Amino acid sequence: MKIVVDPLQCGCSGYCVKVAPEIFAWLPDDTAATALIEPGTEEEIGLAREAAQLCPLRAITIVEE
Amino acid sequence: MTGTAARPAISHSGTSFQPDGGPPAAEMTRLSSFSEVNEALKSRRFIHVVGHRDNAAFLGGSLISLSGDEHFNRRRIAAALFGAEPTARYHRQVFLPALMAALARWPVGADGRSRGDLAAAVFEALSPLGAAMVGLDGIDSEEARKRHILYTSRIANGVNIEFAERDHQELVGEYLPFLERFRTEFFEPSLARRRAIVSDFRAGRIDRQDLPLDLITLMLLHEDQFAAYGPEAMLREAVLFNGASASISHGACNVVDALLRWVSVDPPARRPLLSDVVFVRRAALEAIRYRPGTPFQIRRSAEDQVLESGRKVAAGEYVLIDMAAANHDKAVFGPDADEFNPYREPLERVRPAGISFSNGAHTCIAMNLSVGDGFHFEDGNMGLLVATLIRLFALDVRSEDPAGASRAAGTTRTVFDRFRISLDLAPGELPT
């Protein structure tokens, strides 16, 4: 599973960073969030899916591999 | 070519809102450029302001009144209602059939055209949607449906009371009885039924996947998170989600009005509205940019800071974010920013509806339900407003009022609550 955050679409709600700080972080210039890792465990996969659902601008795409 | 609709009034005064310990809205530093507004909404260095509001009896302690982690926790509870599956269900199985049924009830004239008020039809169609989303039972009969619509419309007036031109406390007194009727007739019986279901779930008698997906059930599953906000917190959260009807029906009048003005000047422009879904979405989002429903938001600076524009903002300083002015910023939207132009070229990093659905942590939770993701015109989920437009233009919608949509009276907001239109819809005909 791969996570793609579209930096142009990101509205900086910060929900993904709050719900899964081990997976998402802010870019250094704070203009968008980004994915740090590809989720591996069941818990990480669940949190990544929740982050995608929470994102009000649908900037997070979960790519099943 | 551009349309002829007048420049919208920019309303950022006339509100009674004053943050605790802060200045009145009219005395705050006003941010009006798109760049400053966007930065303030997205930045974690600005805090969403919570204070006493005259609509507290209707929304106090609800999601919209919260900030920071409290707001995030509440949003996390409600997020399941706005996933792809429930959104598609509300849209296709609840809203559109109800809208078509409402339109089919309009009287038909000798010319074969049906006539009625668009705002009322959309509001009526949103009644079962609000009920489904919240989990309100008992609106199946015609009489109950009418009562639900009446209560929802009066409660919506209470929700927006801080923009009212009449005495706010008097108006609270007028609208509160409708909240009480909403509570006793719809909310409390539905709450009791779901409390029993959640109790069965907790006792292991039913599985999680068999729980209803609605706000009341979600609130009961996280009841501890509402306890701190008083006994009215769950009712007020239900009011918030039930009452999106008013803003969506205002939005429908706005976009249909803008488009009908447009095609009256350029009749061939009606053609792409009949066949090109991408163009219809683009036009709808442009109409929302042109006349945003929310006039302003307020934030407080968490620290001394310098905005990208060079403006210095001191720690603790309150800023009034002027949404309409930002959406008409010529530096971003070009020299025709004050005009409605559905052919406006998309901009990188700027959503077609501008800042109308806000940005950052307080981005409108119902944006996807209303217009899709608000960015990609080709996205499969077009949202309720765009679906409404497509149906209306397929039915040859025409304005029946030379002045177009009527601006709501008694409020400083620029919203439209009545729009008499006609359709080519034969009696009993029910388009899909």
Side-chain angles (χ1 to χ4, degrees), chain B residues 172-254:
Chain B
V172 169
E174 282 180 27
Y175 299 137
L176 264 183
F178 293 96
L179 179 62
E180 286 309 307
R181 290 191 213 168
F182 173 83
R183 178 211 302 272
T184 55
E185 286 184 42
F186 297 115
F187 180 72
E188 287 185 342
S190 306
L191 181 70
R193 274 187 285 274
R194 277 153 187 77
R195 196 180 287 286
I197 295 171
V198 169
S199 176
D200 282 346
F201 162 68
R202 291 208 165 110
R205 291 189 286 273
I206 60 172
D207 294 332
R208 183 155 196 132
Q209 67 261 25
D210 296 325
L211 288 171
L213 178 56
D214 56 50
L215 181 69
I216 293 178
T217 304
L218 292 170
M219 290 193 295
L220 288 168
L221 289 170
H222 301 87
E223 202 164 3
D224 55 319
Q225 292 200 33
F226 290 84
Y229 302 91
E232 305 292 334
M234 291 207 291
L235 170 68
R236 291 172 183 166
E237 196 81 333
V239 161
L240 176 67
F241 283 79
N242 179 65
S245 323
S247 53
I248 294 179
S249 69
H250 294 158
C253 290
N254 174 28

Side-chain angles (χ1 to χ4, degrees), chain A residues 6-20 26-32 47 50 53-59, chain B residues 41-45 68-69 71-72 75-76 79-80 82-84 87 348-349 351 359-364 367-368 373 375-376:
Chain A
D6 181 343
L8 296 181
Q9 193 157 344
C10 176
C12 297
S13 73
Y15 297 156
C16 58
V17 180
K18 274 184 188 275
V19 81
W26 294 103
L27 288 173
D29 63 359
D30 267 5
T31 56
L47 288 170
E50 185 180 3
Q53 184 178 59
L54 269 168
C55 178
L57 296 168
R58 302 292 186 264
Chain B
L41 291 174
K42 291 173 81 169
S43 171
R44 283 169 287 142
R45 299 188 306 275
D69 285 346
H71 175 264
F72 169 72
R75 192 121 174 179
R76 198 175 180 184
F82 296 93
T87 297
E348 193 175 74
R349 285 188 176 274
R351 293 202 296 277
N359 225 337
H362 292 265
T363 300
C364 174
M367 183 180 76
N368 261 271
D373 78 355
F375 209 106
H376 295 113

Side-chain angles (χ1 to χ4, degrees), chain B residues 83-399:
Chain B
E85 187 280 322
T87 297
R89 181 160 43 85
Y90 300 143
H91 178 164
R92 296 181 206 289
Q93 296 176 25
V94 183
F95 174 75
L96 283 178
L99 177 67
M100 292 300 117
L103 297 178
R105 281 195 286 272
W106 283 2
V108 179
D111 59 356
R113 293 184 68 80
S114 63
R115 289 175 173 80
D117 176 19
L118 175 64
V122 173
F123 200 94
E124 187 178 330
L126 287 162
S127 164
L129 190 154
M133 185 178 286
V134 173
L136 299 174
D137 308 317
I139 66 157
D140 302 329
S141 74
E142 180 72 7
E143 282 308 306
R145 191 174 58 81
K146 283 182 179 169
R147 289 200 307 279
H148 180 250
I149 291 169
L150 172 67
Y151 304 162
T152 302
S153 70
R154 296 300 186 275
I155 292 169
N157 289 342
V159 163
N160 290 304
I161 215 159
E162 63 196 41
F163 300 102
E165 291 170 339
R166 278 183 52 203
D167 181 88
H168 293 187
Q169 289 316 308
E170 266 182 34
L171 290 172
V172 169
E174 282 180 27
Y175 299 137
L176 264 183
F178 293 96
L179 179 62
E180 286 309 307
R181 290 191 213 168
F182 173 83
R183 178 211 302 272
T184 55
E185 286 184 42
F186 297 115
F187 180 72
E188 287 185 342
S190 306
L191 181 70
R193 274 187 285 274
R194 277 153 187 77
R195 196 180 287 286
I197 295 171
V198 169
S199 176
D200 282 346
F201 162 68
R202 291 208 165 110
R205 291 189 286 273
I206 60 172
D207 294 332
R208 183 155 196 132
Q209 67 261 25
D210 296 325
L211 288 171
L213 178 56
D214 56 50
L215 181 69
I216 293 178
T217 304
L218 292 170
M219 290 193 295
L220 288 168
L221 289 170
H222 301 87
E223 202 164 3
D224 55 319
Q225 292 200 33
F226 290 84
Y229 302 91
E232 305 292 334
M234 291 207 291
L235 170 68
R236 291 172 183 166
E237 196 81 333
V239 161
L240 176 67
F241 283 79
N242 179 65
S245 323
S247 53
I248 294 179
S249 69
H250 294 158
C253 290
N254 174 28
V255 295
V256 175
D257 180 71
L259 283 168
L260 287 180
R261 286 174 190 274
W262 172 264
V263 298
S264 72
V265 176
D266 181 19
R270 189 176 275 269
R271 208 171 307 122
L273 291 168
L274 294 171
S275 57
D276 187 344
V277 175
V278 171
F279 178 76
V280 175
R281 290 192 72 175
R282 194 165 155 167
L285 292 168
E286 165 68 0
I288 295 167
R289 176 202 70 84
Y290 177 63
R291 290 191 289 219
T294 302
F296 68 87
Q297 292 196 26
I298 294 169
R299 296 286 186 274
R300 185 166 54 83
S301 183
E303 58 190 63
D304 289 336
Q305 56 180 309
V306 181
L307 303 186
E308 287 173 18
S309 63
R311 183 195 292 268
K312 291 180 181 170
V313 183
E317 185 174 342
Y318 288 86
V319 296
L320 185 142
I321 294 172
D322 191 330
M323 315 287 267
N327 274 2
H328 287 254
D329 187 342
K330 291 182 171 63
V332 174
F333 296 100
D336 69 342
D338 286 343
E339 295 174 32
F340 171 73
N341 176 13
Y343 294 106
R344 190 176 302 285
E345 285 301 318
L347 301 163
E348 193 175 74
R349 285 188 176 274
V350 177
R351 293 202 296 277
I355 215 74
S356 295
F357 292 97
S358 193
N359 225 337
H362 292 265
T363 300
C364 174
I365 195 169
M367 183 180 76
N368 261 271
L369 184 62
S370 303
V371 297
D373 78 355
F375 209 106
H376 295 113
F377 298 122
E378 299 81 7
D379 181 60
N381 167 32
M382 67 176 72
L384 304 180
L385 277 179
V386 181
T388 301
L389 273 185
I390 288 169
R391 265 91 185 154
L392 293 178
F393 276 90
L395 295 169
D396 190 38
V397 58
R398 307 274 168 176
S399 172

Side-chain angles (χ1 to χ4, degrees), chain B residues 46-59:
Chain B
F46 281 97
I47 301 164
H48 179 254
V49 171
V50 178
H52 174 75
R53 308 190 86 131
D54 286 349
N55 67 5
F58 300 92
L59 290 182

Side-chain angles (χ1 to χ4, degrees), chain B residues 22-39:
Chain B
E27 294 173 18
M28 294 175 189
T29 302
R30 179 170 164 260
L31 305 183
S32 57
S33 73
F34 186 89
S35 161
E36 288 185 335
V37 164
N38 200 37
E39 183 177 352

